Amino acid sequence: MSQPSPDSPDVLEKLVSMAKQRGFFFGSSEIYGGINALYDYGPLGARMRRNVRNLWWTAMIESRDDIEPIETSIIMNPQVWVASGHVDTFTDPLVDCTGTCRKRWREDHLADERRARGKPEDAPGCPECGGALTQARQFNLMFRTHLGPVPDDAAQVYLRPETAQGMFVDFTTVVQAMRRRLPFGIAQQGKSFRNEISPSNSIFRTREFEQMEMEFFCKPGTDLEWYRYWCATRLRWWIDDCGVRMSRLRLREHAADELSHYSAATSDVEYRFPWGWGELEGIADRTDFDLRRHSEHSGRDLSYFDTDTNERYIPYVIEPAAGLDRACLTMLIDAWDEEEVRGETRVVLRLHPDVAPWQLAVLPLSKKPQLTEYDETQSIGRRYRRQDEIGTPLAITVDFDSLEDNAVTIRERDGMTQVRVPLVDLEAACEEQLAVCRAAALQRAQSD
Ligand code: GAP
């Protein structure tokens, strides 16, 4: 029987263990004891990330004619972060435990942390040991470093906490270079850094992560229409392109008191994780806040001249902002499944074929014919299981009959069905089977 995996409380633990063993992800610098909330991606993780980046790039850039890609530097002029408001307000409320455990918490996460430990949300004191907590103080999440050899205040710079500001400060340059007219978007993928107080749930919240963000510039007054368009478009991407199950996703609109001061409307694409709902992507109507602030602070005019109406204005911006690490964790959790097959537990990652690290495996023919013939069923079974566990949708097996009939077996991951295919038709048969897998992934995502 198949189990609804993401509901099982230990799925994250099992997944994290598999992720290390099979080379998806694991703690950074582990031979030195690791470093908190920083991760490395192994050979399978690196391939999967590339696939997810490509899916986003295809959907947001290649398949459209209204979005330009850029790549901006991680360290920017520090005035960028003054203008954007990050220096003053990119803070989280920090409280310290004065009891036995001495842990540090985000005050706004205390209720969740208590719930995760089976305690009432309003239990007093530290979620871990119940000790008294200090008053909250604001802690700025930006990592600081120094540019150049003299580490004085004048040389202080920040690692970017989001990729978005690159798109705002380069807006006019891109408009001019590409002769762009509104509405159009600028997008980038890249690393961001936040000194999170309470990183949690493996690669869900880390201190170094990758974002995939797009700023869509439009005429004021058309923004809410574009906002609704991008909410719907981005939700569909998670389901149709990545195969995440619709039944575990929701689009949650922020209440008025939850909105950032610059935002006219914001919705989050959220996934139901074993520990509760978590944000995968935020879609925000950021009004003209960012371009206006950068115009004021830099003294450069970032307004736009609309030749259709002969008006000059500061564009409004709709921003879909997703995280790559969270996307991968979500897809892995959503795909995780365990079922009984002939009295044994089969772990199978039902990943979308375009997300899976490998689309097909060619299982090797043993160099020792007599041995392989002896335990062929068992050894091939084990090889299939290894591919199931990492989500490879198709496996091609070359066996001894292949030498006689010039045919091989294609075995499909989810239903474990097998077809015998002449070698001359192999390429077309693989394409066909992958198309079937894509259709099945879509059906699973839309109906499960
Ligand atoms: N420019 C808007 C912005 O950065 P955000 O909601 O703070 O908005 C966007 O971040 C996305 O980046 C989140 O939905 C999440 O997927 C990812 N993200 C943010 N902080 C993260 C962290 N500490 N670890 C992993 N991913 C994170």
Side-chain angles (χ1 to χ4, degrees), residues 9 38 82 96 105 112 128 150 165 205 214 241 246 249 264 267 312 319 329 331 345 350 388 392 405 429 442:
L38 294 162
V82 176
D96 288 304
W105 307 95
D112 288 346
E128 186 83 11
V150 187
Q165 297 303 322
R205 180 173 291 106
M214 192 273 289
D241 297 25
M246 191 159 75
L249 287 170
S267 289
R312 180 168 283 283
E319 175 196 71
L329 182 67
M331 290 169 207
T345 303
R350 300 191 190 279
D388 291 343
T392 312
D405 66 1
L442 186 61

Side-chain angles (χ1 to χ4, degrees), residues 37 86 90 141 161-165 167-168 192-196 199-200 202-213 215 238 254 262 266 268-269 278-284 286 319-327:
H86 284 82
F90 194 55
L141 298 186
E162 62 173 19
T163 61
Q165 297 303 322
M167 274 79 92
F168 297 125
S192 295
F193 302 81
R194 295 182 192 175
N195 204 354
E196 297 281 357
S200 56
S202 176
I203 55 171
F204 180 80
R205 180 173 291 106
T206 57
R207 293 193 168 119
E208 172 179 337
F209 53 96
E210 188 160 332
Q211 290 187 306
M212 307 184 288
E213 297 195 284
E215 310 301 323
W238 289 93
H254 286 206
Y262 53 75
T266 298
D268 290 341
V269 177
E279 175 193 329
L280 307 182
E281 172 161 6
I283 299 117
R286 297 180 67 116
E319 175 196 71
L324 177 61
D325 310 77
R326 263 182 212 185

